[in-house]
Amino acid sequence: MKEKKWLKSYGLIILTGIVVGIAALVLTAAGNPKNMGFCIACFERDIAGALGLHSAGKVQYMRPEIIGIVLGSMAAALAAKEFRARAGSSPAIRFILGLFVMIGALVFLGCPLRMVIRLGGGDLTAVIGLLGFLVGILVGVVFLKKGFSLGRAYAVRKSEGFMLPGVMVLLLVLLVAAPQLLKSSEEGPGSMRAFWVISLVAGLIVGLMAQRSRLCMAGGLRDAFMLRDFTLLSGFLAIWVTITIGNLIMGKYNLGMLSQPIAHTQHLWSFLGMALAGWGSILLGGCPLRQLILAGEGNGDSAVTVLGMVVGAAIAHNFGMAGNPDSVVDGVYKVGGTSTVGMAAVILGFVVLAVISVTHLPGKENA
C-alpha cells in the first residue's frame, strides 16, 4: 500500500525529471551550448534577440524549445480537460516581477533549470547560485506565511488563454517559413543550436510532462520549507542525477569553478542574482519554467509574466546588465561577471520586490 502511494506521489515527477535530464543531454549533444540543454531565461533572451528587441549579436535565435514547452503544455492541458482561461491576478505586478526575475537570472547566467544542469556538469559556480536561490525562496516564504497574495484570477474568454500559445505558433511559422525575417547569431551561444525539429520535439515532450507533473523548482523548495513536502523537489533531484550520470558516461563532467561553459566566478552577484530570481519566483507562484507551463494551460497572468521576462531580457542586454562569462584572453584567465549597471539593477530589483511584498500583505489592499 505504501509503495503504491509512493509511486503515485513521486513516480510521475521523478520520471519527468529523468526525461528533462535526458532531453537536456540530447540537445547539448545535438548542438546546444554546453551545460545549457535547457535554459528558460537564456532561451527567452535569445528569442528577444531574434525579434530585434536587443542588439547583442551573440545571443539571437528563435529557440524552438520555448515554443514546444508552451504548446506541449497546452496539448496536455486540453487532453486532460485542464485548460482554463483565467486572468486578472495583478497582471501589471506580474509583468514587473517577471522582468526582475529575468534580470536576476541573466546576472547569474541561467534560470533555476540551467542552474541544476550546470551542477550536473560539475560546475561548482552554480552552487553559489543555488545558495542564493535558497535564500530568495526563504524570503518569499516569510511573506507567504504572513499572507502575501497577488489576488485571485478570474475566468475569462478562451481566446485570452490561447493568446500566448497562438503567438508561439506564429513564431514557429516565422522560424520555419521566413527565417530571414528573424535575427540569428553567427557566433556565440546563439549560434549553438540543435536542429529545430529536435529542439521542438524536446520542448513538446518537456512541456507535456511538466504540465502533468507540475514540475517547478521554486514550488518544490517552497513546499519543502512550508509543508515538508518534497514531491516537486524530487523532480529536480532527478534532473541533476540524470545529467550527472549522462555527463560522466560521455566524459563531459568537469568538476570545478574555473573555465566552466558560459559561467562566471563573480560569486557575490551570482548569489544575489539568483536570490532575486528565487524571491520573485515565489511571489509569482512558480519559476520561469512553471510560468511557461501555466501560460500553456490558459493562464493569462502567466502569459503576461512570460512577456515581462522577454522584455527583461531585452533590457538586460540593451543596458549591459547581463553577466559575462569568464574567458581566456591571450592566455590570461579573465573573470567575467556583471557590470555596475547590472549590480544596480539587482539592488533595484530587491527594493521593488520588497515594496510589492509588503504592499500585498493582508490589510494593505489599498496601500
Side-chain angles (χ1 to χ4, degrees), residues 94 97 101 112 133 136-137 140 144 216-219 222 274-289 291 309 353:
R94 290 180 183 275
L97 287 172
V101 165
F133 193 67
I137 296 293
L144 288 183
C216 177
M217 186 167 187
R222 175 202 61 207
M274 286 310 289
L276 181 64
W279 186 0
S281 294
I282 289 296
L283 300 185
L284 286 165
C287 61
L289 171 63
Q291 297 304 317
M309 289 192 286
L353 264 60

Coordinates of all heavy atoms in Angstrom, one line a residue, residues 94 97 101 112 133 136-137 140 144 216-219 222 274-289 291 309 353:
R94 N 2.8 41.3 -12.1 CA 3.4 40.1 -12.6 C 4.4 40.4 -13.7 O 5.5 39.8 -13.8 CB 2.4 39.1 -13.0 CG 1.6 38.5 -11.8 CD 0.6 37.5 -12.3 NE -0.2 37.0 -11.2 CZ 0.1 36.0 -10.4 NH1 1.3 35.3 -10.6 NH2 -0.6 35.6 -9.4
L97 N 7.5 41.7 -12.0 CA 8.2 40.6 -11.3 C 8.9 39.7 -12.3 O 10.1 39.3 -12.1 CB 7.2 39.8 -10.5 CG 6.6 40.4 -9.2 CD1 5.5 39.5 -8.6 CD2 7.8 40.6 -8.2
V101 N 12.9 39.0 -12.3 CA 13.4 37.6 -12.2 C 14.3 37.3 -13.4 O 15.4 36.7 -13.2 CB 12.2 36.6 -12.3 CG1 12.6 35.2 -12.6 CG2 11.4 36.6 -11.0
P112 N 16.7 28.7 -12.9 CA 16.8 27.6 -11.9 C 17.1 26.2 -12.6 O 17.8 25.4 -12.1 CB 15.5 27.6 -11.2 CG 15.1 29.0 -11.2 CD 15.5 29.5 -12.6
F133 N 19.6 31.2 -4.5 CA 18.2 30.9 -4.8 C 17.4 30.4 -3.6 O 16.3 30.8 -3.3 CB 18.2 29.8 -5.9 CG 16.8 29.5 -6.5 CD1 16.2 30.5 -7.3 CD2 16.2 28.3 -6.3 CE1 15.0 30.2 -7.9 CE2 15.0 28.0 -6.9 CZ 14.4 29.0 -7.7
G136 N 16.6 33.4 -1.5 CA 15.5 34.2 -2.1 C 14.1 33.4 -1.8 O 13.1 34.1 -1.5
I137 N 14.1 32.1 -1.9 CA 12.9 31.3 -1.7 C 12.5 31.5 -0.2 O 11.3 31.7 0.1 CB 13.2 29.8 -1.9 CG1 13.5 29.6 -3.4 CG2 12.0 29.0 -1.5 CD1 12.4 29.8 -4.4
G140 N 10.8 34.8 0.3 CA 9.5 34.8 -0.3 C 8.5 34.0 0.6 O 7.4 34.4 0.8
L144 N 4.9 34.7 2.3 CA 3.7 33.8 2.1 C 3.1 33.5 3.4 O 1.8 33.5 3.6 CB 4.1 32.6 1.4 CG 4.5 32.7 -0.1 CD1 4.8 31.3 -0.7 CD2 3.4 33.3 -0.9
C216 N 8.3 22.2 -10.8 CA 8.7 23.6 -10.6 C 9.7 23.6 -9.4 O 9.4 23.1 -8.3 CB 7.5 24.4 -10.2 SG 7.9 26.1 -9.7
M217 N 10.9 24.1 -9.6 CA 11.9 24.1 -8.6 C 11.5 25.1 -7.5 O 11.7 24.8 -6.3 CB 13.3 24.5 -9.2 CG 14.4 24.3 -8.1 SD 16.0 24.3 -8.8 CE 17.0 23.9 -7.4
A218 N 11.1 26.3 -7.8 CA 10.7 27.2 -6.8 C 9.6 26.7 -5.9 O 9.6 26.8 -4.7 CB 10.3 28.6 -7.4
G219 N 8.6 26.1 -6.6 CA 7.5 25.4 -5.9 C 7.9 24.3 -5.1 O 7.4 24.0 -3.9
R222 N 9.6 25.7 -2.0 CA 8.5 26.3 -1.2 C 7.8 25.2 -0.4 O 7.6 25.4 0.8 CB 7.6 27.1 -2.1 CG 6.3 27.7 -1.4 CD 5.2 27.9 -2.4 NE 4.8 26.6 -3.0 CZ 4.3 26.5 -4.2 NH1 4.1 27.6 -5.0 NH2 3.9 25.3 -4.7
M274 N 20.5 35.2 -8.2 CA 19.6 34.0 -8.0 C 18.7 34.2 -6.8 O 17.6 33.7 -6.8 CB 20.4 32.7 -8.0 CG 20.9 32.3 -9.3 SD 19.7 32.2 -10.6 CE 18.6 30.9 -10.1
A275 N 19.2 35.0 -5.8 CA 18.3 35.3 -4.7 C 17.1 36.2 -5.2 O 16.0 36.0 -4.8 CB 19.1 36.1 -3.6
L276 N 17.4 37.1 -6.1 CA 16.4 37.9 -6.7 C 15.4 37.1 -7.5 O 14.2 37.2 -7.4 CB 17.0 39.0 -7.6 CG 16.0 40.0 -8.3 CD1 15.3 40.8 -7.3 CD2 16.8 40.9 -9.2
A277 N 16.0 36.1 -8.3 CA 15.1 35.3 -9.1 C 14.3 34.4 -8.2 O 13.1 34.1 -8.5 CB 16.0 34.4 -10.0
G278 N 14.8 33.9 -7.1 CA 14.1 33.0 -6.2 C 13.0 33.7 -5.5 O 11.8 33.2 -5.4
W279 N 13.2 34.9 -5.0 CA 12.2 35.7 -4.3 C 11.1 36.0 -5.3 O 9.9 35.8 -5.0 CB 12.9 36.9 -3.7 CG 12.0 37.8 -2.9 CD1 10.7 37.6 -2.5 CD2 12.4 39.0 -2.2 NE1 10.2 38.6 -1.7 CE2 11.2 39.5 -1.5 CE3 13.5 39.7 -2.2 CZ2 11.3 40.7 -0.8 CZ3 13.6 40.9 -1.4 CH2 12.4 41.4 -0.8
G280 N 11.4 36.5 -6.4 CA 10.4 36.8 -7.4 C 9.6 35.6 -7.9 O 8.4 35.7 -8.1
S281 N 10.2 34.5 -8.0 CA 9.5 33.2 -8.4 C 8.5 32.8 -7.4 O 7.4 32.4 -7.7 CB 10.5 32.1 -8.6 OG 11.3 32.4 -9.8
I282 N 8.8 33.0 -6.1 CA 7.9 32.7 -5.0 C 6.7 33.6 -5.1 O 5.5 33.2 -5.0 CB 8.5 32.7 -3.6 CG1 9.5 31.6 -3.5 CG2 7.5 32.7 -2.5 CD1 8.8 30.2 -3.5
L283 N 6.9 34.9 -5.3 CA 5.8 35.9 -5.3 C 4.9 35.6 -6.6 O 3.7 35.8 -6.5 CB 6.4 37.3 -5.4 CG 7.2 37.8 -4.3 CD1 7.6 39.3 -4.4 CD2 6.6 37.5 -2.9
L284 N 5.5 35.1 -7.6 CA 4.8 34.8 -8.8 C 4.0 33.4 -8.7 O 3.1 33.2 -9.5 CB 5.7 34.7 -10.0 CG 6.2 36.1 -10.6 CD1 7.4 35.8 -11.5 CD2 5.1 36.8 -11.3
G285 N 4.5 32.6 -7.8 CA 3.8 31.3 -7.7 C 4.5 30.2 -8.6 O 3.9 29.1 -8.8
G286 N 5.7 30.5 -9.1 CA 6.4 29.5 -9.9 C 7.6 30.0 -10.6 O 7.7 31.2 -10.8
C287 N 8.5 29.2 -10.9 CA 9.8 29.6 -11.6 C 9.5 29.8 -13.1 O 8.4 29.6 -13.5 CB 10.8 28.5 -11.4 SG 10.3 26.9 -12.1
P288 N 10.5 30.3 -13.8 CA 10.3 30.6 -15.2 C 9.7 29.4 -16.0 O 8.8 29.6 -16.9 CB 11.7 31.0 -15.7 CG 12.3 31.6 -14.5 CD 11.8 30.8 -13.4
L289 N 10.2 28.2 -15.8 CA 9.6 27.1 -16.5 C 8.1 26.9 -16.1 O 7.3 26.7 -17.0 CB 10.3 25.8 -16.1 CG 9.7 24.5 -16.6 CD1 9.7 24.4 -18.1 CD2 10.5 23.3 -16.0
Q291 N 6.0 29.2 -15.3 CA 5.2 30.2 -15.9 C 4.9 29.9 -17.4 O 3.7 30.1 -17.8 CB 6.0 31.6 -15.9 CG 6.3 32.1 -14.5 CD 5.0 32.2 -13.6 OE1 4.0 32.7 -14.1 NE2 5.1 31.8 -12.4
M309 N 9.3 38.7 -18.8 CA 10.7 38.1 -18.8 C 11.4 38.4 -20.1 O 12.6 38.7 -20.1 CB 10.6 36.6 -18.5 CG 10.2 36.3 -17.1 SD 10.4 34.5 -16.6 CE 9.0 33.8 -17.5
L353 N 10.9 44.3 -5.2 CA 10.2 43.1 -4.6 C 9.8 43.3 -3.2 O 8.8 42.8 -2.8 CB 11.2 41.9 -4.8 CG 10.9 41.0 -6.0 CD1 11.1 41.8 -7.3 CD2 11.9 39.8 -6.0

